Amino acid sequence: MRVFLAGATGAIGRRLVPQLVDRGHSVVATTRTQDKVELLRALGAEPVVVDGLDAAGVGEAVARAEPDAIVHQMTALAGTPDMKHFDKWFAVTNDLRTQGTKHLVAAATASGVERFVAQSFTGWNNARDDGPVKTEDDPLDEHPPAEQTQSIAAIRFLEEAVLSAPLEGIVLRYGSFYGPGASESLVEMVRKRKLPVVGAGTGIWSWIHLDDAAAATVAALEHGTRGVYNVVDDEPAPVATWLPYLADVVGARPPRRVPVWLGRLAVGEVGVSMMTQIRGSSNAKARRELRWQPTWRSWREGFRRAATA
Ligand SMILES: NC(=O)c1ccc[n+]([C@@H]2O[C@H](COP(=O)([O-])OP(=O)(O)OC[C@H]3O[C@@H](n4cnc5c(N)ncnc54)[C@H](OP(=O)(O)O)[C@@H]3O)[C@@H](O)[C@H]2O)c1
């Protein structure tokens, strides 16, 4: 297949290009900057410089590439997280999920592209009621913390745009990434004991190693059908379980514990929600329908191997 990969230089893109090339696909890979062109070439892709928010530029790049499939991996999350002003932190990512998706879908339709795979997310956007683990059929959070309203709306927009487009539209809801390029700052915070367990640490997280996320993306491209797939590992786990474990495997002292009122002052409503209320996700559909399974079946072995690598 000839694949147009938008957002090829990020944490997931860099792991995805080599897997696509290994499977015999040819990859046209985007970056906004000339500086990263050589990196893309070294990974085995044909680089193209384009801004995902430039409708005409995207249209031209896709038309010139003549791809069979488009993969949308554009986000703008490098830099310091800001839990207290979550929507501000996610603002450009939200533009890439709304305008960026629109431009890519329009380009796909104009160029007769038949398959489209887009990055979405599962975790803090799950409804925070009923059971601890959600499937693709469960609703997204309709009453999120105020500071996450725009970010959840952007995810909804992306998913609806991809699923309603006149092509094979596939949405991959990745869990929280870890692996090279994804977890260094988290580990640094854990080492410095700057990430406490808030309240009872009952927020459930679903993790996924970048290489497993990339493998699921290749599987979705090759034989996924229109729909949504959670791409997470086999062990959704509460913060109170994974955070002390992570501290242990990286040789840090156990995380501090702080009450909810203090957590709210430090990380706001969104941070408290992530630490105490969010729900995890099931990978049963991706396992069944994509003929995919995570190599790192649990974050336990993944964190331990990553820490010793
Ligand atoms: N599911 C998850 O947990 C999840 C999902 C996404 C990101 N993250 C985390 O967020 C952190 C940063 O992610 P990242 O390293 O992937 O970097 P990033 O800054 O989010 O960039 C990701 C990709 O999007 C591209 N991009 C950004 N703005 C663009 C635009 N206007 N037009 C076209 N392309 C654009 C970048 O390309 P250029 O800069 O080369 O143009 C890059 O290839 C990492 O720790 C990552 O693990 C986590």
Side-chain angles (χ1 to χ4, degrees):
M1 226 182 273
R2 189 159 164 82
V3 180
F4 184 93
L5 172 54
T9 62
I12 177 75
R14 288 177 194 222
R15 315 298 287 190
L16 178 57
V17 173
Q19 289 199 27
L20 286 168
V21 172
D22 276 358
R23 293 281 303 165
H25 302 298
S26 68
V27 184
V28 177
T30 81
T31 176
R32 281 163 304 165
T33 59
Q34 200 62 39
D35 300 356
K36 297 184 193 162
V37 157
E38 279 315 312
L39 161 78
L40 292 176
R41 239 180 231 125
L43 290 172
E46 226 178 278
V48 53
V49 176
V50 66
D51 188 322
L53 297 174
D54 167 9
V58 169
E60 272 168 38
V62 169
R64 204 169 304 129
E66 298 184 41
D68 303 300
I70 291 180
V71 180
H72 176 355
Q73 298 286 9
M74 297 184 295
T75 55
L77 295 173
T80 316
D82 186 354
M83 287 291 166
K84 275 191 164 171
H85 308 101
F86 194 91
D87 279 338
K88 201 169 144 215
W89 168 31
F90 266 65
V92 180
T93 297
N94 293 343
D95 288 345
L96 290 164
R97 287 180 168 157
T98 51
Q99 298 309 309
T101 304
K102 244 193 199 166
H103 301 335
L104 275 177
V105 168
T109 315
S111 292
V113 177
E114 283 173 6
R115 299 178 77 73
F116 195 106
V117 175
Q119 172 183 157
S120 183
F121 179 77
T122 188
W124 48 257
N125 50 343
N126 280 331
R128 293 168 297 158
D129 52 14
D130 299 329
V133 178
K134 307 298 187 189
T135 72
E136 293 81 352
D137 294 331
D138 288 312
L140 297 182
D141 198 348
E142 282 177 15
H143 308 285
E147 270 299 327
Q148 268 178 331
T149 313
Q150 291 166 21
S151 303
I152 292 193
I155 285 175
R156 244 183 243 287
F157 181 98
L158 173 145
E159 295 193 347
E160 284 169 15
V162 171
L163 296 172
S164 64
L167 40 68
E168 198 80 52
I170 296 169
V171 168
L172 298 182
R173 290 183 181 162
Y174 300 134
S176 294
F177 286 155
Y178 71 95
S183 33
E184 289 80 358
S185 54
L186 172 73
V187 167
E188 193 56 25
M189 283 176 76
V190 170
R191 283 218 170 93
K192 292 185 174 155
R193 296 187 90 207
K194 284 190 171 165
L195 192 64
V197 175
V198 176
T202 41
I204 315 272
W205 288 50
S206 278
W207 291 95
I208 188 73
H209 190 284
L210 288 170
D211 288 339
D212 283 328
T217 310
V218 176
L221 262 175
E222 291 179 353
H223 44 252
T225 55
R226 186 191 302 245
V228 179
Y229 301 85
N230 289 340
V231 176
V232 295
D233 76 7
D234 292 349
E235 195 188 349
V239 175
T241 302
W242 67 256
L243 183 48
Y245 181 95
L246 178 58
D248 182 49
V249 298
V250 300
R253 286 192 291 149
R256 296 174 207 280
R257 295 192 170 251
V258 303
V260 167
W261 68 265
L262 190 54
R264 190 170 289 123
L265 286 180
V267 288
E269 278 309 325
V270 172
V272 169
S273 167
M274 295 220 193
M275 282 278 173
T276 64
Q277 296 167 7
I278 66 168
R279 300 298 203 264
S281 309
S282 159
N283 64 15
K285 182 182 175 193
R287 273 178 163 275
R288 197 174 56 239
E289 296 185 17
L290 297 182
R291 287 171 260 150
W292 162 87
Q293 56 178 30
T295 303
W296 308 89
R297 286 171 35 200
S298 161
W299 49 270
R300 288 177 195 275
E301 46 179 322
F303 284 4
R304 188 168 290 282
R305 293 270 193 93
T308 53

